[in-house]
Amino acid sequence: EVQLQASGGGLVQPGGSLRLSCAASGFTFDDYIIGWFRQAPGKEREGVSCISTSAAYTYYSDSVKGRFTMSTDNAKNMVYLQMKSLKPEDTAVYYCAVVSLDRGWASFIVHDMDSWGKGTQVTVSS
């Protein structure tokens, strides 16, 4: 059974940094696309980043490119999202999710993931 649990959220000032973690279990990283999503109140969910460790490819949405870095520690079954130069518009609940690589990248694009973890709140405010 795939299990995902995001953590590391909190309150940070604009311009600050935060690292989110996602503890993962029940699947092999190389067989999946792992993604980070976020949803702010009243806004649509956004896929901000995803990674395929087997394809050695990482995607970032335009809204976070250059500021966020996604990484994995396969030995520890951990997924990270390092966030820098945070802006108030980054405020949202952040989720990690996975989809089988067999289903393709399109599944990430349309948010049709196999499993979702519980989110962690990130608030960027002075």
Side-chain angles (χ1 to χ4, degrees):
E1 178 188 5
V2 173
Q3 293 189 337
L4 303 162
Q5 179 62 61
S7 62
L11 173 64
V12 61
Q13 293 186 342
S17 299
L18 209 57
R19 189 179 79 159
L20 304 184
S21 300
C22 176
S25 63
F27 66 98
T28 301
F29 276 27
D30 283 352
D31 295 336
Y32 282 76
I33 296 168
I34 307 169
W36 282 100
F37 296 80
R38 67 184 182 186
Q39 188 162 23
K43 294 187 177 180
E44 293 187 355
R45 184 173 56 201
E46 177 187 11
V48 297
S49 182
C50 68
I51 193 169
S52 165
T53 56
S54 59
Y57 175 76
T58 309
Y59 159 86
Y60 299 99
S61 66
D62 288 343
S63 60
V64 306
K65 193 175 296 181
R67 300 188 298 121
F68 289 13
T69 302
M70 184 174 180
S71 63
T72 66
D73 185 334
N74 292 26
K76 295 181 178 180
N77 289 335
M78 294 294 295
V79 184
Y80 303 102
L81 186 67
Q82 178 67 53
M83 307 184 294
K84 298 181 180 180
S85 302
L86 284 163
K87 306 174 182 179
E89 50 264 44
D90 294 319
T91 296
V93 178
Y94 285 71
Y95 303 86
C96 53
V98 297
V99 63
S100 171
L101 196 56
D102 292 343
R103 297 187 57 203
W105 295 95
S107 295
F108 169 82
I109 299 300
V110 299
H111 302 186
D112 184 16
M113 307 298 280
D114 292 335
S115 297
W116 294 83
K118 292 183 179 179
T120 184
Q121 174 72 46
V122 172
T123 302
V124 184
S125 175
S126 55

mmCIF file of all heavy atoms in Angstrom, residues 27-62:
data_model
loop_
_atom_site.group_PDB
_atom_site.id
_atom_site.type_symbol
_atom_site.label_atom_id
_atom_site.label_comp_id
_atom_site.label_asym_id
_atom_site.label_seq_id
_atom_site.Cartn_x
_atom_site.Cartn_y
_atom_site.Cartn_z
ATOM 1 N N PHE A 27 6.163 1.648 -2.357
ATOM 2 C CA PHE A 27 6.415 1.626 -3.790
ATOM 3 C C PHE A 27 7.900 1.868 -4.059
ATOM 4 O O PHE A 27 8.626 2.339 -3.193
ATOM 5 C CB PHE A 27 5.580 2.688 -4.513
ATOM 6 C CG PHE A 27 5.940 4.110 -4.171
ATOM 7 C CD1 PHE A 27 6.777 4.856 -5.000
ATOM 8 C CD2 PHE A 27 5.439 4.722 -3.031
ATOM 9 C CE1 PHE A 27 7.110 6.161 -4.691
ATOM 10 C CE2 PHE A 27 5.758 6.027 -2.706
ATOM 11 C CZ PHE A 27 6.600 6.742 -3.536
ATOM 12 N N THR A 28 8.302 1.558 -5.259
ATOM 13 C CA THR A 28 9.683 1.763 -5.688
ATOM 14 C C THR A 28 9.785 3.070 -6.453
ATOM 15 O O THR A 28 9.082 3.273 -7.438
ATOM 16 C CB THR A 28 10.134 0.601 -6.601
ATOM 17 O OG1 THR A 28 10.019 -0.636 -5.881
ATOM 18 C CG2 THR A 28 11.582 0.790 -7.033
ATOM 19 N N PHE A 29 10.642 3.948 -5.985
ATOM 20 C CA PHE A 29 10.733 5.295 -6.565
ATOM 21 C C PHE A 29 10.935 5.243 -8.080
ATOM 22 O O PHE A 29 10.343 6.030 -8.813
ATOM 23 C CB PHE A 29 11.880 6.058 -5.929
ATOM 24 C CG PHE A 29 11.518 6.725 -4.617
ATOM 25 C CD1 PHE A 29 10.512 6.207 -3.809
ATOM 26 C CD2 PHE A 29 12.175 7.856 -4.194
ATOM 27 C CE1 PHE A 29 10.174 6.809 -2.613
ATOM 28 C CE2 PHE A 29 11.847 8.483 -2.988
ATOM 29 C CZ PHE A 29 10.835 7.955 -2.202
ATOM 30 N N ASP A 30 11.753 4.346 -8.556
ATOM 31 C CA ASP A 30 12.081 4.323 -9.987
ATOM 32 C C ASP A 30 10.877 3.979 -10.864
ATOM 33 O O ASP A 30 10.903 4.218 -12.069
ATOM 34 C CB ASP A 30 13.212 3.343 -10.269
ATOM 35 C CG ASP A 30 14.576 3.892 -9.890
ATOM 36 O OD1 ASP A 30 14.650 5.093 -9.559
ATOM 37 O OD2 ASP A 30 15.545 3.118 -9.921
ATOM 38 N N ASP A 31 9.835 3.410 -10.268
ATOM 39 C CA ASP A 31 8.666 2.992 -11.048
ATOM 40 C C ASP A 31 7.557 4.033 -11.053
ATOM 41 O O ASP A 31 6.493 3.807 -11.638
ATOM 42 C CB ASP A 31 8.100 1.685 -10.488
ATOM 43 C CG ASP A 31 9.059 0.521 -10.647
ATOM 44 O OD1 ASP A 31 9.915 0.577 -11.555
ATOM 45 O OD2 ASP A 31 8.947 -0.439 -9.855
ATOM 46 N N TYR A 32 7.807 5.183 -10.413
ATOM 47 C CA TYR A 32 6.761 6.170 -10.247
ATOM 48 C C TYR A 32 7.229 7.580 -10.595
ATOM 49 O O TYR A 32 8.423 7.884 -10.526
ATOM 50 C CB TYR A 32 6.252 6.173 -8.803
ATOM 51 C CG TYR A 32 5.307 5.035 -8.508
ATOM 52 C CD1 TYR A 32 5.781 3.745 -8.321
ATOM 53 C CD2 TYR A 32 3.928 5.259 -8.423
ATOM 54 C CE1 TYR A 32 4.911 2.699 -8.075
ATOM 55 C CE2 TYR A 32 3.058 4.210 -8.164
ATOM 56 C CZ TYR A 32 3.557 2.940 -7.993
ATOM 57 O OH TYR A 32 2.694 1.909 -7.751
ATOM 58 N N ILE A 33 6.274 8.400 -10.955
ATOM 59 C CA ILE A 33 6.458 9.840 -11.013
ATOM 60 C C ILE A 33 5.948 10.397 -9.690
ATOM 61 O O ILE A 33 4.821 10.091 -9.274
ATOM 62 C CB ILE A 33 5.680 10.461 -12.184
ATOM 63 C CG1 ILE A 33 6.221 9.953 -13.526
ATOM 64 C CG2 ILE A 33 5.733 11.981 -12.125
ATOM 65 C CD1 ILE A 33 5.340 10.276 -14.708
ATOM 66 N N ILE A 34 6.786 11.184 -9.042
ATOM 67 C CA ILE A 34 6.426 11.742 -7.742
ATOM 68 C C ILE A 34 6.216 13.239 -7.927
ATOM 69 O O ILE A 34 7.057 13.915 -8.528
ATOM 70 C CB ILE A 34 7.546 11.491 -6.711
ATOM 71 C CG1 ILE A 34 7.899 9.995 -6.675
ATOM 72 C CG2 ILE A 34 7.109 11.981 -5.342
ATOM 73 C CD1 ILE A 34 9.163 9.688 -5.893
ATOM 74 N N GLY A 35 5.108 13.727 -7.411
ATOM 75 C CA GLY A 35 4.788 15.125 -7.643
ATOM 76 C C GLY A 35 4.465 15.886 -6.381
ATOM 77 O O GLY A 35 4.074 15.306 -5.369
ATOM 78 N N TRP A 36 4.672 17.192 -6.463
ATOM 79 C CA TRP A 36 4.215 18.114 -5.421
ATOM 80 C C TRP A 36 3.120 18.982 -6.032
ATOM 81 O O TRP A 36 3.302 19.548 -7.116
ATOM 82 C CB TRP A 36 5.349 19.009 -4.924
ATOM 83 C CG TRP A 36 6.289 18.363 -3.969
ATOM 84 C CD1 TRP A 36 7.520 17.842 -4.236
ATOM 85 C CD2 TRP A 36 6.078 18.166 -2.559
ATOM 86 N NE1 TRP A 36 8.076 17.335 -3.084
ATOM 87 C CE2 TRP A 36 7.226 17.531 -2.035
ATOM 88 C CE3 TRP A 36 5.039 18.481 -1.674
ATOM 89 C CZ2 TRP A 36 7.365 17.183 -0.695
ATOM 90 C CZ3 TRP A 36 5.169 18.135 -0.342
ATOM 91 C CH2 TRP A 36 6.317 17.497 0.140
ATOM 92 N N PHE A 37 2.027 19.102 -5.309
ATOM 93 C CA PHE A 37 0.906 19.933 -5.710
ATOM 94 C C PHE A 37 0.614 20.923 -4.593
ATOM 95 O O PHE A 37 1.010 20.715 -3.452
ATOM 96 C CB PHE A 37 -0.342 19.084 -5.951
ATOM 97 C CG PHE A 37 -0.216 18.103 -7.085
ATOM 98 C CD1 PHE A 37 0.437 16.892 -6.904
ATOM 99 C CD2 PHE A 37 -0.755 18.376 -8.327
ATOM 100 C CE1 PHE A 37 0.561 15.980 -7.944
ATOM 101 C CE2 PHE A 37 -0.655 17.476 -9.378
ATOM 102 C CZ PHE A 37 0.008 16.280 -9.182
ATOM 103 N N ARG A 38 -0.114 21.970 -4.933
ATOM 104 C CA ARG A 38 -0.540 22.888 -3.895
ATOM 105 C C ARG A 38 -1.925 23.421 -4.244
ATOM 106 O O ARG A 38 -2.321 23.469 -5.400
ATOM 107 C CB ARG A 38 0.441 24.038 -3.739
ATOM 108 C CG ARG A 38 0.523 24.988 -4.929
ATOM 109 C CD ARG A 38 1.610 26.037 -4.697
ATOM 110 N NE ARG A 38 1.694 27.006 -5.794
ATOM 111 C CZ ARG A 38 2.631 27.938 -5.880
ATOM 112 N NH1 ARG A 38 3.568 28.040 -4.928
ATOM 113 N NH2 ARG A 38 2.645 28.779 -6.903
ATOM 114 N N GLN A 39 -2.637 23.809 -3.202
ATOM 115 C CA GLN A 39 -3.959 24.404 -3.402
ATOM 116 C C GLN A 39 -4.186 25.487 -2.369
ATOM 117 O O GLN A 39 -4.096 25.228 -1.166
ATOM 118 C CB GLN A 39 -5.065 23.359 -3.330
ATOM 119 C CG GLN A 39 -6.427 23.916 -3.723
ATOM 120 C CD GLN A 39 -7.412 22.835 -4.065
ATOM 121 O OE1 GLN A 39 -7.292 21.691 -3.641
ATOM 122 N NE2 GLN A 39 -8.424 23.193 -4.872
ATOM 123 N N ALA A 40 -4.444 26.659 -2.864
ATOM 124 C CA ALA A 40 -4.751 27.800 -2.012
ATOM 125 C C ALA A 40 -6.267 27.959 -1.931
ATOM 126 O O ALA A 40 -6.988 27.541 -2.844
ATOM 127 C CB ALA A 40 -4.122 29.064 -2.583
ATOM 128 N N PRO A 41 -6.758 28.552 -0.859
ATOM 129 C CA PRO A 41 -8.208 28.751 -0.721
ATOM 130 C C PRO A 41 -8.793 29.495 -1.916
ATOM 131 O O PRO A 41 -8.253 30.530 -2.333
ATOM 132 C CB PRO A 41 -8.321 29.571 0.551
ATOM 133 C CG PRO A 41 -7.098 29.236 1.325
ATOM 134 C CD PRO A 41 -6.021 29.041 0.301
ATOM 135 N N GLY A 42 -9.837 28.939 -2.482
ATOM 136 C CA GLY A 42 -10.498 29.592 -3.600
ATOM 137 C C GLY A 42 -9.801 29.475 -4.926
ATOM 138 O O GLY A 42 -10.239 30.068 -5.921
ATOM 139 N N LYS A 43 -8.710 28.724 -4.960
ATOM 140 C CA LYS A 43 -7.958 28.578 -6.211
ATOM 141 C C LYS A 43 -7.891 27.117 -6.618
ATOM 142 O O LYS A 43 -8.060 26.217 -5.795
ATOM 143 C CB LYS A 43 -6.550 29.146 -6.052
ATOM 144 C CG LYS A 43 -6.513 30.646 -5.827
ATOM 145 C CD LYS A 43 -5.088 31.156 -5.856
ATOM 146 C CE LYS A 43 -5.028 32.674 -5.700
ATOM 147 N NZ LYS A 43 -3.634 33.173 -5.726
ATOM 148 N N GLU A 44 -7.636 26.910 -7.897
ATOM 149 C CA GLU A 44 -7.490 25.554 -8.386
ATOM 150 C C GLU A 44 -6.171 24.948 -7.905
ATOM 151 O O GLU A 44 -5.191 25.656 -7.673
ATOM 152 C CB GLU A 44 -7.524 25.536 -9.920
ATOM 153 C CG GLU A 44 -8.867 25.908 -10.514
ATOM 154 C CD GLU A 44 -8.899 25.724 -12.011
ATOM 155 O OE1 GLU A 44 -7.870 25.396 -12.601
ATOM 156 O OE2 GLU A 44 -9.986 25.922 -12.598
ATOM 157 N N ARG A 45 -6.180 23.651 -7.779
ATOM 158 C CA ARG A 45 -4.963 22.942 -7.418
ATOM 159 C C ARG A 45 -3.927 23.104 -8.537
ATOM 160 O O ARG A 45 -4.274 23.104 -9.713
ATOM 161 C CB ARG A 45 -5.264 21.469 -7.174
ATOM 162 C CG ARG A 45 -4.083 20.641 -6.685
ATOM 163 C CD ARG A 45 -4.542 19.247 -6.308
ATOM 164 N NE ARG A 45 -5.225 18.607 -7.413
ATOM 165 C CZ ARG A 45 -6.070 17.591 -7.268
ATOM 166 N NH1 ARG A 45 -6.341 17.122 -6.078
ATOM 167 N NH2 ARG A 45 -6.637 17.059 -8.330
ATOM 168 N N GLU A 46 -2.680 23.215 -8.154
ATOM 169 C CA GLU A 46 -1.595 23.423 -9.115
ATOM 170 C C GLU A 46 -0.515 22.372 -8.907
ATOM 171 O O GLU A 46 -0.101 22.113 -7.785
ATOM 172 C CB GLU A 46 -0.989 24.819 -8.930
ATOM 173 C CG GLU A 46 0.198 25.120 -9.821
ATOM 174 C CD GLU A 46 0.883 26.437 -9.492
ATOM 175 O OE1 GLU A 46 0.569 27.039 -8.444
ATOM 176 O OE2 GLU A 46 1.765 26.856 -10.288
ATOM 177 N N GLY A 47 -0.072 21.778 -9.991
ATOM 178 C CA GLY A 47 1.070 20.870 -9.920
ATOM 179 C C GLY A 47 2.333 21.694 -10.023
ATOM 180 O O GLY A 47 2.593 22.274 -11.073
ATOM 181 N N VAL A 48 3.107 21.788 -8.964
ATOM 182 C CA VAL A 48 4.262 22.683 -8.972
ATOM 183 C C VAL A 48 5.548 21.989 -9.397
ATOM 184 O O VAL A 48 6.437 22.633 -9.965
ATOM 185 C CB VAL A 48 4.471 23.364 -7.608
ATOM 186 C CG1 VAL A 48 3.284 24.231 -7.267
ATOM 187 C CG2 VAL A 48 4.709 22.349 -6.502
ATOM 188 N N SER A 49 5.658 20.698 -9.145
ATOM 189 C CA SER A 49 6.896 20.013 -9.502
ATOM 190 C C SER A 49 6.652 18.516 -9.526
ATOM 191 O O SER A 49 5.783 18.011 -8.816
ATOM 192 C CB SER A 49 7.994 20.336 -8.482
ATOM 193 O OG SER A 49 9.219 19.719 -8.835
ATOM 194 N N CYS A 50 7.411 17.830 -10.349
ATOM 195 C CA CYS A 50 7.385 16.373 -10.309
ATOM 196 C C CYS A 50 8.733 15.846 -10.775
ATOM 197 O O CYS A 50 9.513 16.553 -11.434
ATOM 198 C CB CYS A 50 6.247 15.787 -11.140
ATOM 199 S SG CYS A 50 6.405 15.991 -12.916
ATOM 200 N N ILE A 51 8.990 14.613 -10.413
ATOM 201 C CA ILE A 51 10.288 14.019 -10.692
ATOM 202 C C ILE A 51 10.124 12.561 -11.061
ATOM 203 O O ILE A 51 9.256 11.867 -10.554
ATOM 204 C CB ILE A 51 11.231 14.174 -9.472
ATOM 205 C CG1 ILE A 51 12.672 13.846 -9.824
ATOM 206 C CG2 ILE A 51 10.755 13.302 -8.313
ATOM 207 C CD1 ILE A 51 13.652 14.256 -8.722
ATOM 208 N N SER A 52 10.980 12.120 -11.969
ATOM 209 C CA SER A 52 11.128 10.707 -12.258
ATOM 210 C C SER A 52 12.589 10.366 -12.013
ATOM 211 O O SER A 52 13.459 10.858 -12.734
ATOM 212 C CB SER A 52 10.762 10.387 -13.701
ATOM 213 O OG SER A 52 11.231 9.090 -14.052
ATOM 214 N N THR A 53 12.838 9.568 -10.994
ATOM 215 C CA THR A 53 14.233 9.246 -10.686
ATOM 216 C C THR A 53 14.845 8.359 -11.766
ATOM 217 O O THR A 53 16.031 8.482 -12.062
ATOM 218 C CB THR A 53 14.334 8.560 -9.320
ATOM 219 O OG1 THR A 53 13.498 7.405 -9.302
ATOM 220 C CG2 THR A 53 13.902 9.501 -8.204
ATOM 221 N N SER A 54 14.034 7.500 -12.380
ATOM 222 C CA SER A 54 14.573 6.622 -13.419
ATOM 223 C C SER A 54 14.872 7.389 -14.699
ATOM 224 O O SER A 54 15.831 7.079 -15.406
ATOM 225 C CB SER A 54 13.605 5.471 -13.695
ATOM 226 O OG SER A 54 12.354 5.966 -14.114
ATOM 227 N N ALA A 55 14.070 8.380 -14.993
ATOM 228 C CA ALA A 55 14.285 9.192 -16.193
ATOM 229 C C ALA A 55 15.220 10.358 -15.934
ATOM 230 O O ALA A 55 15.611 11.065 -16.876
ATOM 231 C CB ALA A 55 12.952 9.711 -16.724
ATOM 232 N N ALA A 56 15.561 10.560 -14.676
ATOM 233 C CA ALA A 56 16.431 11.681 -14.289
ATOM 234 C C ALA A 56 15.894 12.992 -14.838
ATOM 235 O O ALA A 56 16.623 13.806 -15.419
ATOM 236 C CB ALA A 56 17.864 11.452 -14.766
ATOM 237 N N TYR A 57 14.603 13.211 -14.635
ATOM 238 C CA TYR A 57 13.955 14.411 -15.148
ATOM 239 C C TYR A 57 13.104 15.028 -14.049
ATOM 240 O O TYR A 57 12.398 14.339 -13.327
ATOM 241 C CB TYR A 57 13.062 14.067 -16.340
ATOM 242 C CG TYR A 57 12.263 15.244 -16.845
ATOM 243 C CD1 TYR A 57 12.853 16.239 -17.607
ATOM 244 C CD2 TYR A 57 10.903 15.348 -16.553
ATOM 245 C CE1 TYR A 57 12.119 17.321 -18.053
ATOM 246 C CE2 TYR A 57 10.164 16.433 -17.005
ATOM 247 C CZ TYR A 57 10.778 17.414 -17.757
ATOM 248 O OH TYR A 57 10.053 18.484 -18.195
ATOM 249 N N THR A 58 13.195 16.323 -13.935
ATOM 250 C CA THR A 58 12.406 17.062 -12.969
ATOM 251 C C THR A 58 11.700 18.206 -13.682
ATOM 252 O O THR A 58 12.308 18.897 -14.498
ATOM 253 C CB THR A 58 13.279 17.633 -11.834
ATOM 254 O OG1 THR A 58 14.084 16.589 -11.285
ATOM 255 C CG2 THR A 58 12.427 18.237 -10.733
ATOM 256 N N TYR A 59 10.425 18.370 -13.336
ATOM 257 C CA TYR A 59 9.610 19.428 -13.931
ATOM 258 C C TYR A 59 9.251 20.457 -12.868
ATOM 259 O O TYR A 59 9.025 20.100 -11.697
ATOM 260 C CB TYR A 59 8.323 18.830 -14.501
ATOM 261 C CG TYR A 59 7.203 19.831 -14.685
ATOM 262 C CD1 TYR A 59 7.108 20.591 -15.840
ATOM 263 C CD2 TYR A 59 6.264 20.027 -13.682
ATOM 264 C CE1 TYR A 59 6.089 21.512 -15.998
ATOM 265 C CE2 TYR A 59 5.240 20.954 -13.830
ATOM 266 C CZ TYR A 59 5.162 21.693 -14.992
ATOM 267 O OH TYR A 59 4.163 22.609 -15.140
ATOM 268 N N TYR A 60 9.216 21.721 -13.279
ATOM 269 C CA TYR A 60 8.756 22.795 -12.395
ATOM 270 C C TYR A 60 7.767 23.667 -13.159
ATOM 271 O O TYR A 60 7.979 23.968 -14.338
ATOM 272 C CB TYR A 60 9.920 23.670 -11.930
ATOM 273 C CG TYR A 60 10.959 22.927 -11.133
ATOM 274 C CD1 TYR A 60 12.125 22.477 -11.728
ATOM 275 C CD2 TYR A 60 10.765 22.673 -9.770
ATOM 276 C CE1 TYR A 60 13.083 21.784 -11.006
ATOM 277 C CE2 TYR A 60 11.721 21.978 -9.036
ATOM 278 C CZ TYR A 60 12.876 21.531 -9.658
ATOM 279 O OH TYR A 60 13.812 20.839 -8.940
ATOM 280 N N SER A 61 6.720 24.070 -12.473
ATOM 281 C CA SER A 61 5.799 25.006 -13.090
ATOM 282 C C SER A 61 6.482 26.372 -13.203
ATOM 283 O O SER A 61 7.433 26.674 -12.466
ATOM 284 C CB SER A 61 4.520 25.124 -12.265
ATOM 285 O OG SER A 61 4.797 25.722 -11.012
ATOM 286 N N ASP A 62 5.985 27.176 -14.100
ATOM 287 C CA ASP A 62 6.578 28.498 -14.297
ATOM 288 C C ASP A 62 6.519 29.341 -13.023
ATOM 289 O O ASP A 62 7.381 30.186 -12.791
ATOM 290 C CB ASP A 62 5.865 29.229 -15.433
ATOM 291 C CG ASP A 62 6.208 28.644 -16.796
ATOM 292 O OD1 ASP A 62 7.211 27.912 -16.896
ATOM 293 O OD2 ASP A 62 5.455 28.915 -17.747
#
